[in-house]
């Protein structure tokens, strides 16, 4: 089956699937957004939750160095939440005890920030997922404007974004025009919310 979780080889940890393998599994689960019946979507959602929970547990217990969460794992898990979580009544929660897609997406992004895994795709998916829920303000309030904090992106291995508009040099915003920012040239971070600060700050973790 396309969504079967890779087996874990406890006798030979080095042979265990790595983070990229699990990221591909999560991407497959997210692909059930359309063209699948309810049973297939539910199975995809359950597989995604179980896989992500296993990765977090393995990493917290330092079970296997190969089985680490990557920025692509967060990217595709956020898509799974956005595409597959049926409703707020879904009680099979492993990401958090939150009761909405919005809360889960925000929690995933915060976790990615703490782990230094905010890639271009994670940033973009955070924005588009909230926009789909009619909550564009939370994105702006969470990431601010200007350069992303270095500790948010330090462990990214895929495409990087250095600025909150998704660029590496302060270019066009994802999905719109970038607002002019006289201070952006200095690379200084913007503070949380509408007000700005020379110290910057972004989201408080």
């Amino acid at each position: 089956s396309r969504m079967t979780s890779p087996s874990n080889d406890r006798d030979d940890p080095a042979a265990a699937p790595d983070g990229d393998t699990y990221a591909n599994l999560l991407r497959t689960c997210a692909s059930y957004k359309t063209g699948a019946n309810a049973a297939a979507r539910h199975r995809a959602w359950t597989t995604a939750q179980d896989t992500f929970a296993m990765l977090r547990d393995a990493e917290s217990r330092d079970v296997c160095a190969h089985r680490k969460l990557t920025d692509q794992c967060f990217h595709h898990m956020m898509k799974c939440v956005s595409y597959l979580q049926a409703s707020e009544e879904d009680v099979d929660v492993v990401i958090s005890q939150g009761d909405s897609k919005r809360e889960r997406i925000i929690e995933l992004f915060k976790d990615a920030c703490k782990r230094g895994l905010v890639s271009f795709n994670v940033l973009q998916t955070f924005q588009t997922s909230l926009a789909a829920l009619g909550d564009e303000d939370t994105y702006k309030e969470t990431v601010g404007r200007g350069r992303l904090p270095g500790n948010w992106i330090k462990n990214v291995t895929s495409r990087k974004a250095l600025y909150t508009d998704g660029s590496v040099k302060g270019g066009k915003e994802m999905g719109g025009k970038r607002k002019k920012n006289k201070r952006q040239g200095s690379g200084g971070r913007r503070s949380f919310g509408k007000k700005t600060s020379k110290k910057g700050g972004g989201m408080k973790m």
Side-chain angles (χ1 to χ4, degrees):
S1 173
R2 293 176 62 202
M3 291 187 295
T4 301
S5 297
S7 59
N8 300 325
D9 193 339
R10 295 183 179 180
D11 295 328
D12 185 7
D18 60 12
D20 291 337
T21 301
Y22 288 108
N24 285 331
L25 175 61
L26 292 170
R27 178 174 62 182
T28 298
C29 292
S31 72
Y32 281 71
K33 172 185 178 182
T34 58
N37 59 38
R41 286 170 55 83
H42 178 74
R43 186 182 175 205
W45 175 230
T46 300
T47 300
Q49 292 190 99
D50 290 346
T51 299
F52 199 83
M54 180 275 296
L55 287 169
R56 290 208 313 181
D57 179 63
E59 190 169 79
S60 67
R61 294 187 292 113
D62 197 24
V63 173
C64 178
H66 292 268
R67 202 177 305 147
K68 286 187 176 181
L69 284 163
T70 65
D71 52 90
Q72 287 294 76
C73 288
F74 277 94
H75 168 216
H76 295 302
M77 189 61 205
M78 288 171 73
K79 281 192 170 183
C80 286
V81 173
S82 184
Y83 297 161
L84 300 175
Q85 184 178 333
S87 68
E88 296 185 4
E89 286 70 37
D90 186 344
V91 296
D92 187 15
V93 178
V94 297
I95 299 176
S96 71
Q97 296 302 314
D99 61 356
S100 73
K101 287 186 180 183
R102 177 181 173 279
E103 289 175 353
R104 289 189 180 193
I105 289 166
I106 292 172
E107 183 172 357
L108 279 168
F109 184 76
K110 287 182 177 181
D111 196 7
C113 290
K114 292 177 180 178
R115 296 170 186 268
L117 295 174
V118 179
S119 65
F120 170 87
N121 287 326
V122 169
L123 191 67
Q124 183 181 55
T125 303
F126 182 54
Q127 182 187 41
T128 57
S129 297
L130 290 175
L133 297 172
D135 185 15
E136 297 180 355
D137 289 342
T138 294
Y139 175 83
K140 297 175 183 177
E141 292 170 356
T142 301
V143 305
R145 290 199 312 172
R147 194 176 180 91
L148 291 169
N151 60 317
W152 286 15
I153 62 176
K154 64 181 180 181
N155 296 318
V156 171
T157 57
S158 64
R159 181 180 176 184
K160 288 188 177 181
L162 299 182
Y163 289 83
T164 56
D165 61 11
S167 70
V168 294
K169 294 183 179 180
K172 292 183 178 180
E173 277 191 54
M174 298 174 293
K177 294 182 179 180
R178 181 172 66 89
K179 293 182 179 179
K180 291 184 179 179
N181 184 348
K182 294 181 180 179
R183 294 187 182 180
Q184 236 175 5
S186 63
R189 284 184 285 155
R190 289 295 179 173
S191 65
F192 186 96
K194 295 181 179 179
K195 295 183 179 179
T196 61
S197 169
K198 291 182 180 179
K199 294 183 180 180
M203 178 179 59
K204 293 182 179 179
M205 303 305 299

